């Protein structure tokens, strides 16, 4: 299932340079630029509070956006930089790069766990400890998976689930070369205490 691309609203910014950027900030906007794809850079501005909300939602630099600028065709972009005030740590400028649907990009993708009831370890009272609720993957911009699925069928207490255990969608690969841990099934504290008691008996 492909992920829905998030809309990001912006407006055309007239003029370039520091004066125009300061004017945009005075009016409650964060100035920005769209570049790439062999086209001329396009100055834009984004409403300050709107952008701040998006930034605070997290993963802003790893999200593919559908940038909507009034009077222009929508364009897919990723953020390539947010300049911030050195004192207040608030955004002062934002850069976006145009992306083709066949471009390869790196994004964090949600991990979904299924078939909890088919896990002997969980049925015994074990706990699923999620190490990575999201995984950074290299994907094709036009076919971003909404999530990756981890099947817990047959998982016992002590089992560890690595990225290589997961069936990834076609054309998707992890950005990290090593076989990192996504989750594990741990024993309930009561069971650990019982086993320790048996060992020392």
């Amino acid at each position: 299932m492909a992920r829905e691309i998030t809309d990001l609203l912006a407006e055309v910014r007239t003029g370039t340079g520091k004066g125009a950027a300061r004017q945009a900030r005075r009016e409650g906007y964060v100035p920005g630029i769209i570049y790439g794809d062999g086209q001329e850079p396009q100055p834009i501005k984004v409403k300050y509070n709107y952008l701040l909300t998006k930034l605070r939602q997290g993963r802003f630099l790893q999200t593919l956006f559908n940038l909507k600028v009034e009077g222009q065709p929508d364009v897919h972009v990723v953020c390539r930089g947010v300049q911030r005030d050195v004192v207040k740590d608030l955004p002062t400028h934002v850069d976006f790069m145009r992306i083709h649907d066949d471009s390869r990009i790196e994004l964090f993708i949600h991990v979904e766990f299924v078939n909890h009831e088919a896990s002997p370890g969980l049925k015994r009272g074990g706990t699923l400890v999620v190490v990575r609720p999201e995984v950074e993957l290299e994907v094709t911009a036009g076919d971003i998976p909404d999530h990756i699925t981890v099947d817990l069928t047959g998982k016992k207490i002590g089992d560890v689930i690595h990225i290589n255990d997961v069936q990834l969608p076609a054309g998707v690969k992890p950005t990290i070369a090593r076989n990192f841990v996504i989750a594990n099934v741990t024993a309930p504290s009561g069971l650990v205490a019982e086993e320790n008691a048996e060992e020392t008996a």
Side-chain angles (χ1 to χ4, degrees):
M1 178 184 175
R3 173 193 285 195
E4 284 188 21
I5 300 175
T6 304
D7 284 344
L8 187 71
L9 308 178
E11 299 174 30
V12 171
R13 174 165 57 95
T14 54
T16 56
K18 291 183 178 178
R22 276 197 296 269
Q23 179 65 31
R25 292 187 194 103
R26 280 197 294 272
E27 294 170 355
Y29 290 88
V30 176
I33 197 92
I34 315 168
Y35 64 89
D37 198 22
Q39 300 178 41
E40 287 293 314
Q42 168 70 62
I44 58 165
K45 56 185 180 180
V46 184
K47 286 184 177 175
Y48 177 82
N49 289 332
Y50 173 76
L51 178 63
L52 206 56
T53 300
K54 294 284 188 185
L55 287 170
R56 286 174 174 163
Q57 288 171 354
R59 305 293 186 208
F60 192 80
L61 293 175
Q62 290 86 24
T63 299
L64 178 70
F65 291 107
N66 183 47
L67 190 68
K68 302 177 84 71
V69 178
E70 190 173 346
Q72 297 189 8
D74 292 0
V75 59
H76 289 169
V77 298
V78 288
C79 180
R80 280 298 178 242
V82 180
Q83 295 172 28
R84 295 176 181 270
D85 183 284
V86 292
V87 177
K88 300 176 182 174
D89 195 37
L90 297 172
T92 58
H93 193 276
V94 63
D95 294 338
F96 294 101
M97 186 172 74
R98 298 181 186 95
I99 293 288
H100 275 307
D101 280 358
D102 58 358
S103 300
R104 300 285 291 175
I105 57 174
E106 296 175 358
L107 292 178
F108 280 88
I109 305 296
H110 174 68
V111 181
E112 186 172 288
F113 296 88
V114 299
N115 295 327
H116 292 69
E117 70 287 347
S119 162
L122 296 181
K123 286 170 83 170
R124 286 186 65 196
T127 303
L128 178 67
V129 177
V130 179
V131 178
R132 291 178 186 255
E134 293 181 314
V135 176
E136 190 177 28
L137 300 172
E138 183 185 294
V139 300
T140 304
D143 192 23
I144 300 169
D146 181 65
H147 61 269
I148 60 172
T149 302
V150 173
D151 189 349
L152 298 173
T153 300
K155 296 299 178 188
K156 302 183 291 295
I157 287 172
D159 281 356
V160 179
I161 302 160
H162 296 83
I163 186 64
N164 288 358
D165 301 324
V166 181
Q167 182 74 43
L168 296 176
V172 172
K173 66 177 186 179
T175 59
I176 302 173
R178 61 186 166 78
N179 188 21
F180 55 84
V181 174
I182 294 178
N184 55 66
V185 180
T186 61
S189 54
L191 185 62
V192 172
E194 283 175 27
E195 289 177 349
N196 288 343
E198 286 174 8
E199 287 173 7
T200 56

